Amino acid sequence: MTVEQNVLQQHSQKHQQTLLNQLREVTGTTDVQLLQQALQVSNGDLAEAVAFLTEKNAKVPQQDEATYYQTAQITNDRYISVGSQADTNVIDLTGDDKDDLQRAIALSLEESSRAFRETGITDEEQAISRVLEASIAENKASLKRTHTEVWSDSPNPHDRKRQENCPVGLKNVGNTCWFSAVIQSLFNLLEFQRLVLHYSPPARMQDLPRNQKEHRNLPFMQELRCLFSLLVGSKRKYVDPSRAVEILKDAFKSSESQQQDVSEFTHKLLDWLEDAFQIKAEEDREGEKPKNPMVDLFYGRFLAVGVLEGKKFENTEMFGQYPLQVNGFKDLHECLEAAMIEGEIESLHSAENSAKSGQEHWFTELPPVLTFELSRFEFNQTLGRPEKIHNKLEFPSMLYMDRYMDRNRDITRIKREEIRRLKEHLTVLQQRLERYLSYGSGPKRFPLADVLQYAMEFASSKPVCTSPVEDIDTTAPPGGTTALLPPLASTGEQPDASVPPEGSSSGPQAQQQQQQQQQQRVSIHKPFTQSRVPPDLPMHPAPRHITEEELRVLEGCLHRWRSEVENDTRDLQASISRIHRTIELMYSDKSMMQVPYRLHAVLVHEGQANAGHYWAYIFDPHQQRWMKYNDISVTKSSWEELVRDSFGGYRNASAYCLMYIDDKKPFLIEEEFDKETGQMLSGLDKLPPDLKEYVEADNKLFEREMEEWDALQARKLQQEKLALAAASVAPQPMSTEPCPPDNTASQHDPEYMEQQSPTGDSKHMQEDTERAISKAAAEHDEKSPEALLNTAMKVEYTRLLRFAQEDTPPERDYRLQHIIVYFIHNQAPKKIVERTLLMQFADRNLGFDERCKSIMKVARAKLELIKPDEVNMEEYEIWHQDYRKFRDTTVFLLIGLELFLKKSYVESLMYLIYAYQYNKELLLKGPYRGHDEELIAHYRRECLLKLNEHAAALFETGEETEVNAGLSIMNELVVVCIPLLLVDEMEEKDMVAVEDMRNRWCSYLGQEMEPNLQEKLTDFLPKLLDCSTEIKSFHDPPKLPSYSTLELCERYGRVMTSLTLSRTPADGR
């Protein structure tokens, strides 16, 4: 192909692409194949191509673009909705009028040209922006096709039983954390709770509803009543809100698993409640204007005072949730100040009739419940998608609204003017201070006081009379450890070219040789030797010549100047601090602290714009503490935790909605009292009769579920006991003794003590027992078998006590070698220890000599004589079960660590998970019951981080199989284990690890990727960002191999020795 042909082809392709872009711009069609078909049919005629497409679109109904592209409601000011704005220049293209068609094309091209002149964005870039927006909408729509995985309930209903006086949680039934956060915040407003619970449906509700609104709102009101009644009196730890959620989701016309915007949902909820109460109020009114309690509770009024084109105006408007912009402000008052003033308002304060336009808002009536929406989402025009604003924004626990009230308009204006004047002065002072702190004219600047100090240090340094390069011998070894060479005598030897003799001149050849030598030396870098300063040179530069008089004058000037600069800097800093303090205290007088609003709830969002998780912090005024409502989990919290999660700037979590309540209206949070007895109503007593019956019926169902579970477990336990009893009476191949009586048959030996043959643990313990017997017999040869047994038991106990008292490293844990050591460490009751030791000497496999047999018989006889009231057998079994669990924990730990060291992280994780869970249960009973919790937590955490890194690497490949494998690792292993790390929020390292894992995946949101990857990521992120601490039911623990005590100790010792932690964790003994 010639160059001319190549150029022509490129030009043709570019022309065709331009036509495609213009056609896409005119018709809004994004199907490239359809656009190319239209151009082919029309032979490149744009008008005919548009006619072809519009005719085709008229025949085949297209998806509504406003629905397809819209990413959020405009009223929320969070996103820009593409295709949702009304256009006054719309031309009907469905007819046959060619003139309309030509005008549409001309108008489109003119708009494209104007857009490019104004924004510098080409048609192609605009098309890409629309495609990105469409991709976002499609990602949201993809959630409609994919059901989000929900945490499964624990099969044991006792795990789901409500603790006494603990608030009830709400189950997340598929990305409904937004529902839980808002409902819990409203439920804990006791006045709102009472209004909902005591709402009586209109009498005509039994008939067919008059309109669509009633058909939807009244059933939802009934479901909300039922949900609130369960939150009041249920015996369940959490309840299922599915029925109420389904009604809401139908109204949203959204997908089954889409995450809703909190403010959008709150708007919708309050509208529905207002309508429901309005219907009831209209029915109950008797010639009076109906009062709506929802309006009285959540809605206020403000006065808009302004100037429009030089004409003053005033009008009153009603508001519910008050929107506030976050970007560019540091605290809530700054947001409010900005929201109360729009445009240029100087003309409002002057008598002159200015042409400027602007307005102020002044609250005339504040609602008892004041809700602020914090606009933390904005649409990025360049990337074509919404982004979250993570800036820090502080807000107080007590908010005084006096400065925003209409009655304080005059004094507030005076104070605002004073603050404006102070801020102008503050700006001047800060600029002056900056000149002192960043002095200089170049790119690098330093504090002026330091510059003067450096100059003084330079002048005061010891003067030198030589050049800094004249006294360096370049032939000396690096480091300057060799003395300088003296000038060479007049011999036949050639002097060093790098150090020419005095009075001689270097020729061009010598200079060239010198440069070559320097280049050779420079190319070799020895950082630990070559960079050393020769000891005979000064550490700092110094003046070559300075007289005493010069130094005295210079030091005097520099000292004086530095003192002046430091004084000026201190004065500026003090003035700036005073101004800041004055501004802070501007509204602190009592007259401006008469409208207090206390923070009731903070709704928090963690994640990015397209995915995330919501939870709520709600203040409990009766307990005087903050509570965290995170789906089914309701936990105690603190103001410090709220600040960390809500202010923003710290991580991806920040407050999204603030709910304040009038502190002078205590009825909002006051409990209800019985009018006759004066007693505070609680639990089911707070409910009207119909809801009381509903909750009681649900509680009976739950109680029946627990009873059935208990019966099932009792049957299983009975079957296990029968199986153990059958095993205990089975013939013993290595014993000639008769079976024990029935009363001891059920008291079987623990599995780690009872052996069928003298191998493994039995042989090891048998040898220890026989040594104790031999030692006892050597001391008392003629004693009776009973006396020998007592002496042998003392000998054995003394040996084990010595082991228990020995301070050993983690790799040599004597608790694994013998149960008695474990009992001594944990201060087991004396009777438990004695019976366990007696069981050791009653082993049928003890030995075949007469002395051992006689001692074994005495020991078994003693066991039979122990009365039930002497040893609590239930407690005895519990201690032995704990030791079995300790050994199992050890096996889980050592296998998990062995696999971790082999980098088999997938297999290692489950062992470490169960090791941690078993160990934690043991440590709850005592600090020496288990292993070092920090060590297990460390490797559990590291295993999850390794898996997360591996899964992210697979996702980054973009290959379908690799991506699916990576997401499978995350969904099946990492995500289900994250709640285990979040349960104990005091473990900072676990919290940081979870944050690192989430940040790794959230970082992909800002990157370009294939649509299918974007869809998978959007579907996956809500699961990862879910902050619920509900533990998902794992598979059964891995089956543990059977180790002898000797093998277990050896393997445990080896793996503990192999650990490469920088610290040596204590084992807690």
Side-chain angles (χ1 to χ4, degrees), residues 241-258:
S242 296
R243 294 169 66 178
V245 170
E246 286 306 317
I247 299 176
L248 276 171
K249 284 186 174 180
D250 290 342
F252 272 109
K253 295 181 181 179
S254 66
S255 60
E256 295 179 2
S257 57
Q258 181 179 355

Side-chain angles (χ1 to χ4, degrees), residues 420-457:
R420 186 189 64 79
R421 186 188 63 78
L422 287 172
K423 287 185 174 179
E424 289 177 354
H425 187 204
L426 184 65
T427 302
V428 174
L429 293 177
Q430 288 173 335
Q431 290 174 349
R432 290 180 181 175
L433 179 62
E434 183 65 18
R435 292 172 185 169
Y436 279 96
L437 298 180
S438 300
Y439 185 80
S441 56
K444 292 185 178 180
R445 310 207 169 189
F446 305 92
L448 180 54
D450 292 349
V451 171
L452 295 173
Q453 177 65 26
Y454 299 152
M456 192 154 46
E457 291 175 359

Side-chain angles (χ1 to χ4, degrees), residues 390-404:
H390 294 293
N391 299 352
K392 182 178 182 180
L393 183 80
E394 299 179 0
F395 48 85
S397 58
M398 186 67 74
L399 178 68
Y400 293 96
M401 295 294 293
D402 302 76
R403 69 184 80 174
Y404 311 109

